[in-house]
C-alpha cells in the first residue's frame, strides 16, 4: 500500500482565489521544501509534522496556517484532505481542499477590536453615569422626586436605608404627596429591581372583587369566573407589590393579606391549594390607621405587620423651598410636550405659588402648572388666583380649618360635619368631603382638637 501527497498544490492559490480542490500525487523533496518556504515560520514545524504523519499513516487531516506570498502579502489558509483508497494500485491518495480565509480572519479581528472599543466606551459611560447620577441626586434626589428641602431629605435618607432590605414598608401622607413615587424608589434601589413592580389601588376596586384581584381565582369560583386567573401577588412573585390605599381593604381581604405577610402563602378564591410567593409588600394610605384600628375598621395585627418600617411623606406646605424646583420641573415637562418655550414666571405667580397651602399637594400643583402652560401665550408663565381658591358653594374653605383664628370655631365645624356624616371621616359622604379637606388632614385636626368621633356614629 502506498500513500500519495502533493503538498506543492498550495502554491497555485492566487490572490483572488478562495477555494482549490485537487487530487494529490506523491510529493518530491523539492516540493515539500517549497511548501515549507512559503509557510509562515511559526507554522513550518506543524506542517512538517503533518507531512511526515500522512506519508506513514492513512488518515484525513485539517490544518489552518499562514502563507507568505512572493509579493510579501500574508494569506491565511484553511486546508483539509480526505484519504481515498485506490483499488487498482492498492494505494491511497488524498483529495485536498484549500480555502483562503484571510478576509474572514480580518473581519473577526476587526469585530473583536470593535467589541473591545465598545466595551471600553461602555465602561467609561457607566463611570460617567455614576458621576452624573450623583449630581442629579443632589438636586432631584430620586427619579421624579424633585426637591432638596430638609423634610424631603429626611424621607429619602430613610428610603436609602430600608430599600436594600426586604422589610415591609408603610408609607403615610396626604393625598397627592407622591407616595407611589417613594414606593418605586424603594423598589428600584432594592435587590428586586430587575423583577416586577405591581401597583394596586385598593380603593379603586369593588370590595367584592378585591380578593380575586389580589390573589386570583379558580375557574367557576363565582359568576363570571370562566377561567383560572392569576392575582397580583402571583404576578409580583420575586418583586414588589405596592398596595395603595390599603386602609380601604374589606375585613375578609385583610385576613388574607395578613396570611401572606405571616406565612408567605395564600389561596386563590375558590381554590384549596396553598400558593407560596416571595413578594415584598409596600403599603400606603392617607388614613390614620391607628384611629381605624381603634374604630375597629382595620385589624390591629395587620397594622403592626404593615408598620414594620413607617415612612411619613411630608405635605407640600411643609416643604415650601421645593416649590420653585417642582414648578421648574413641571413647566419644562409640559412646555416640551406642547412645543412651547417658557423662560420665566410672573412675579405675582411666584408669590402666589409660595403663599398657597396646596391642600391637594404635588398633584394639585402639577395640574395647575399643566393648565397654565396650555393657556400661556408668551414666554412668561402666569397663574390666575381663582384657580387656587375655587371651591364648591357651601363648603368651608381649607383655610378656615388650617389657619382659623379660633380653635372653638374649627371644633364646632368639624363636629357638625361628623354629626351629618354619622362619624365617618373619609368617603364620598364623609366629613372630609363636606369640609373640602383631605381625610388625613381632618384626622389630624380631630386628634389635635381631642374630638371623639365615635360618639357621632349612632347620631
Amino acid at each position: 500500500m502506498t500513500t500519495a501527497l502533493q503538498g506543492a498544490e498550495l502554491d497555485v492559490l492566487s490572490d483572488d482565489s478562495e477555494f482549490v480542490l485537487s487530487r494529490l500525487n506523491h510529493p518530491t523533496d523539492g516540493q515539500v521544501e517549497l511548501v515549507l518556504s512559503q509557510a509562515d515560520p511559526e507554522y513550518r514545524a506543524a506542517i512538517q509534522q503533518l507531512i511526515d504523519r500522512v506519508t506513514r499513516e492513512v488518515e484525513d487531516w485539517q490544518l489552518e496556517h499562514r502563507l507568505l506570498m512572493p509579493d510579501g502579502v500574508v494569506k491565511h489558509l484553511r486546508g483539509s484532505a480526505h484519504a481515498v483508497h485506490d483499488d487498482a494500485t492498492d494505494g491511497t491518495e488524498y483529495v485536498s481542499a484549500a480555502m483562503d480565509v484571510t478576509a474572514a480572519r480580518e473581519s473577526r479581528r476587526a469585530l473583536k477590536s470593535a467589541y473591545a472599543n465598545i466595551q471600553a466606551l461602555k465602561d467609561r459611560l457607566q463611570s460617567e453615569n455614576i458621576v452624573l447620577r450623583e449630581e442629579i441626586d443632589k438636586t432631584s434626589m430620586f427619579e421624579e422626586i424633585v426637591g432638596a428641602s430638609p423634610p424631603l431629605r429626611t424621607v429619602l435618607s430613610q428610603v436609602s436605608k430600608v430599600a436594600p432590605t426586604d422589610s415591609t414598608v408603610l408609607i403615610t401622607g396626604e393625598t397627592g404627596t407622591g407616595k407611589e413615587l417613594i414606593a418605586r424608589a424603594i423598589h428600584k434601589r432594592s435587590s428586586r429591581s430587575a423583577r416586577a413592580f405591581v401597583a394596586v389601588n385598593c380603593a379603586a376596586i369593588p370590595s367584592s372583587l378585591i380578593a380575586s384581584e389580589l390573589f386570583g381565582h379558580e375557574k367557576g369560583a363565582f359568576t363570571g369566573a370562566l377561567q383560572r386567573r392569576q392575582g397580583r401577588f402571583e404576578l409580583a412573585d420575586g418583586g414588589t407589590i405596592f398596595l395603595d390605599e390599603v386602609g380601604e381593604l374589606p375585613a375578609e381581604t385583610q385576613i388574607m393579606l395578613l396570611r401572606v405577610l405571616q406565612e408567605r402563602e395564600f389561596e386563590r378564591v375558590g381554590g384549596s391549594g396553598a400558593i407560596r410567593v416571595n413578594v415584598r409588600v409596600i403599603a400606603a394610605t392617607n388614613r390614620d390607621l391607628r384611629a381605624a384600628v381603634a374604630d375597629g375598621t382595620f385589624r390591629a395585627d395587620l397594622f403592626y405587620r404593615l408598620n414594620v418600617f413607617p415612612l411619613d411623606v411630608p405635605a407640600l406646605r411643609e416643604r415650601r423651598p421645593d416649590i420653585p424646583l417642582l414648578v421648574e420641573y413641571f413647566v419644562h415637562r409640559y412646555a416640551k410636550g406642547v412645543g412651547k418655550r417658557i423662560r420665566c414666571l410672573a412675579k405675582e405667580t411666584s408669590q402666589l405659588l409660595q403663599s398657597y397651602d396646596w391642600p391637594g399637594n404635588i398633584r394639585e400643583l402639577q395640574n395647575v402648572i399643566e393648565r397654565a402652560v396650555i393657556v400661556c401665550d408668551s414666554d412668561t408663565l402666569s397663574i390666575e388666583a381663582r384657580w387656587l381658591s375655587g371651591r364648591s358653594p357651601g363648603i368651608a374653605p381649607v383655610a378656615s380649618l388650617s389657619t382659623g383664628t379660633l380653635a372653638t370655631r374649627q371644633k364646632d365645624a368639624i363636629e357638625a360635619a361628623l354629626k351629618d356624616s354619622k362619624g365617618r371621616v373619609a368617603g364620598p359622604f364623609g366629613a372630609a368631603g363636606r369640609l373640602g379637606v383631605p381625610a388625613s388632614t381632618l384626622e389630624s385636626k380631630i386628634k389635635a382638637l381631642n374630638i371623639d368621633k365615635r360618639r357621632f356614629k349612632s347620631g
Side-chain angles (χ1 to χ4, degrees):
M1 183 179 68
T2 60
T3 302
L5 174 70
Q6 173 61 344
E9 186 65 43
L10 296 174
D11 186 44
V12 303
L13 194 66
S14 62
D15 289 347
D16 57 354
S17 64
E18 293 185 352
F19 191 84
V20 173
L21 179 64
S22 62
R23 184 173 295 276
L24 304 178
N25 301 312
H26 188 73
T28 64
D29 292 340
Q31 290 170 333
V32 172
E33 291 177 359
L34 178 61
V35 171
L36 294 176
S37 67
Q38 288 182 324
D40 189 296
E42 183 180 339
Y43 289 86
R44 287 174 184 170
I47 295 174
Q48 182 66 65
Q49 292 175 5
L50 175 64
I51 294 173
D52 293 342
R53 188 174 72 250
V54 298
T55 55
R56 297 191 308 268
E57 304 173 4
V58 178
E59 62 178 17
D60 294 349
W61 57 265
Q62 291 183 344
L63 179 67
E64 186 168 325
H65 64 102
R66 292 194 297 263
L67 288 183
L68 300 176
M69 308 304 290
D71 58 358
V73 175
V74 176
K75 289 284 187 181
H76 294 270
L77 298 182
R78 181 180 295 128
S80 62
H82 176 62
V84 179
H85 182 72
D86 189 342
D87 293 332
T89 63
D90 195 27
T92 302
E93 295 181 336
Y94 284 88
V95 177
S96 74
M99 179 179 292
D100 185 352
V101 294
T102 305
R105 288 182 61 90
E106 292 299 325
S107 296
R108 286 199 300 270
R109 184 182 295 110
L111 185 61
K112 185 176 180 180
S113 176
Y115 178 79
N117 290 334
I118 291 173
Q119 188 63 41
L121 290 172
K122 181 181 177 181
D123 294 341
R124 189 176 72 181
L125 182 61
Q126 184 175 3
S127 300
E128 292 175 351
N129 280 343
I130 292 173
V131 176
L132 180 60
R133 182 57 174 270
E134 291 174 351
E135 290 299 317
I136 291 174
D137 283 352
K138 291 178 182 177
T139 55
S140 297
M141 300 301 289
F142 288 59
E143 284 81 28
E144 294 184 0
I145 305 174
V146 179
S149 63
L152 184 62
R153 285 184 178 274
T154 298
V155 171
L156 297 182
S157 174
Q158 293 175 312
V159 168
S160 297
K161 292 175 181 177
V162 75
T165 72
D166 272 343
S167 297
T168 302
V169 180
L170 178 61
I171 305 173
T172 57
E174 297 178 9
T175 182
T177 51
K179 295 187 288 295
E180 183 170 345
L181 289 181
I182 294 293
R184 290 184 181 276
I186 294 172
H187 173 72
K188 288 182 180 180
R189 280 160 179 73
S190 73
S191 58
R192 301 170 178 267
S193 59
R195 305 300 295 270
F197 177 88
V198 178
V200 184
N201 188 330
C202 301
I205 303 171
S207 58
S208 59
L209 298 177
I210 186 66
S212 171
E213 188 69 25
L214 291 178
F215 307 110
H217 63 252
E218 297 290 347
K219 181 179 179 181
F222 51 84
T223 303
L226 303 180
Q227 60 185 3
R228 172 186 287 181
R229 182 178 183 273
Q230 286 188 324
R232 299 296 184 91
F233 269 91
E234 285 182 82
L235 296 176
D237 192 20
T240 303
I241 189 167
F242 174 57
L243 303 176
D244 197 9
E245 305 295 351
V246 71
E248 303 300 324
L249 286 176
E252 60 274 14
T253 310
Q254 292 181 32
I255 297 173
M256 298 176 73
L257 176 58
L258 181 62
R259 181 184 177 187
V260 175
L261 293 173
Q262 290 177 335
E263 310 295 339
R264 297 294 177 183
E265 66 179 28
F266 62 90
E267 292 178 4
R268 293 193 186 101
V269 176
S272 57
I275 299 173
R276 296 197 62 83
V277 288
N278 175 19
V279 178
R280 183 182 193 171
V281 177
I282 302 177
T285 182
N286 59 12
R287 293 182 59 187
D288 184 348
L289 289 188
R290 292 184 183 276
V293 169
D295 289 345
T297 57
F298 199 83
R299 295 181 62 95
D301 47 3
L302 177 58
F303 169 72
Y304 291 115
R305 283 286 180 178
L306 292 173
N307 200 42
V308 175
F309 195 94
L311 276 175
D312 186 43
V313 183
L316 186 54
R317 60 182 173 276
E318 297 171 1
R319 40 179 290 217
R320 292 187 187 276
D322 292 335
I323 292 178
L325 290 173
L326 287 163
V327 171
E328 181 179 356
Y329 172 79
F330 288 132
V331 167
H332 174 75
R333 174 177 170 180
Y334 293 118
K336 182 179 180 181
V338 297
K340 294 183 179 180
R341 296 191 64 181
I342 298 176
R343 300 179 181 276
C344 59
L345 291 178
K347 183 178 180 180
E348 299 79 7
T349 293
S350 180
Q351 294 174 346
L352 183 62
L353 294 175
Q354 283 286 352
S355 62
Y356 185 53
D357 274 343
W358 299 107
N361 293 293
I362 298 174
R363 186 179 296 123
E364 183 182 6
L365 173 64
Q366 179 179 348
N367 294 340
V368 167
I369 297 301
E370 182 177 9
R371 180 180 179 183
V373 169
I374 291 173
V375 301
C376 183
D377 294 325
S378 66
D379 61 357
T380 301
L381 189 75
S382 61
I383 294 174
E384 297 183 32
R386 62 185 178 86
W387 295 356
L388 306 181
S389 58
R391 301 191 180 279
S392 302
I395 296 179
V398 172
S400 67
L401 292 178
S402 60
T403 61
T405 58
L406 296 176
T408 54
R409 294 181 59 186
Q410 295 181 27
K411 188 173 183 179
D412 290 343
I414 293 173
E415 289 182 341
L418 286 171
K419 182 178 180 180
D420 292 340
S421 65
K422 299 187 183 299
R424 184 173 180 81
V425 175
F429 303 107
R434 294 173 183 273
L435 294 171
V437 296
S440 56
T441 301
L442 184 56
E443 291 280 11
S444 299
K445 277 293 177 183
I446 291 173
K447 185 177 180 180
L449 296 171
N450 294 318
I451 298 174
D452 183 8
K453 60 185 180 182
R454 288 176 292 182
R455 63 189 178 91
F456 297 100
K457 286 187 176 296
S458 60

